[in-house]
Amino acid sequence: MPQIGQLTGNNWYLISQIFWLVLVFGTIFFVIGRGMLPKVEATVDVRDRKIADDLAAAKAARDAADSIEADWQAKSNAARADAQGVIAKAKDKAAKDAEKRLAKANAEIEAKLAAAEAEISAARSSALAEVEAVAGEAAQELVARLTGAKVTAAAAAKAVKAQINV
């Protein structure tokens, strides 16, 4: 094999290949390692720093939103409690107003009832007096027809009253 023979027989050939190998890898090292890699690392560092800053800003925004929500929740609860207090006061006032109107209506009804009872009592007394008068006249006539005796109006009224009160 001639390729192996070239490696073993000619040291200059091996040395030239090693030289070119070192030269190519050195060039690659300096161009990529020293030129491009720092730029790539700087870009990655900038991106990592931007991500960290964005995460910190998002955390701060979330904390601010949580604080605003807690404040809103507290204000909402306070407003709800105030509204319930206003509702309770309105219910109490309405109940008191209803009680006053009911008391006024009851007083009016009681007054009308007392007046009606007085009218009924007066009408009853008047009717009873008329019944007594009619009964007294009827008793006078009955006694006069049955016995032929004359009874006075006062005696007939007294006898009817005695019978009605029994």
Side-chain angles (χ1 to χ4, degrees):
M1 288 197 177
Q3 293 90 356
I4 295 175
Q6 285 178 357
L7 289 177
T8 58
N10 189 354
N11 282 339
W12 289 108
Y13 182 72
L14 181 64
I15 290 174
S16 74
Q17 283 186 343
I18 291 174
F19 170 75
W20 285 110
L21 179 71
V22 169
L23 184 66
V24 168
F25 279 123
T27 303
I28 290 173
F29 174 75
F30 281 109
V31 168
I32 293 176
R34 299 286 183 185
M36 291 172 49
L37 189 62
K39 290 179 183 177
V40 170
E41 286 178 344
T43 302
V44 169
D45 288 342
V46 167
R47 189 187 75 197
D48 288 345
R49 191 172 28 255
K50 174 89 170 121
I51 289 171
D53 291 344
D54 289 347
L55 288 174
K59 185 179 184 298
R62 186 184 68 212
D63 291 343
D66 288 344
S67 173
I68 290 170
E69 181 185 10
D71 290 343
W72 175 81
Q73 196 68 263
K75 288 178 183 177
S76 174
N77 289 340
R80 191 174 293 119
D82 289 345
Q84 288 175 347
V86 168
I87 289 170
K89 286 180 183 177
K91 282 183 179 179
D92 289 343
K93 183 180 178 193
K96 288 178 183 176
D97 289 345
E99 285 178 19
K100 286 179 184 177
R101 284 184 296 193
L102 184 61
K104 184 179 176 183
N106 281 341
E108 289 175 5
I109 290 171
E110 289 294 327
K112 287 180 182 180
L113 183 63
E117 285 178 354
E119 276 183 39
I120 290 171
S121 179
R124 190 167 153 215
S125 296
S126 171
L128 190 57
E130 284 183 30
V131 167
E132 286 178 4
V134 169
E137 289 176 8
Q140 274 181 329
E141 275 187 45
L142 279 174
V143 169
R145 280 190 190 171
L146 291 177
T147 61
K150 277 264 190 197
V151 178
T152 63
K158 185 177 175 185
V160 168
K161 213 177 238 195
Q163 288 301 317
I164 288 178
N165 289 332
V166 174

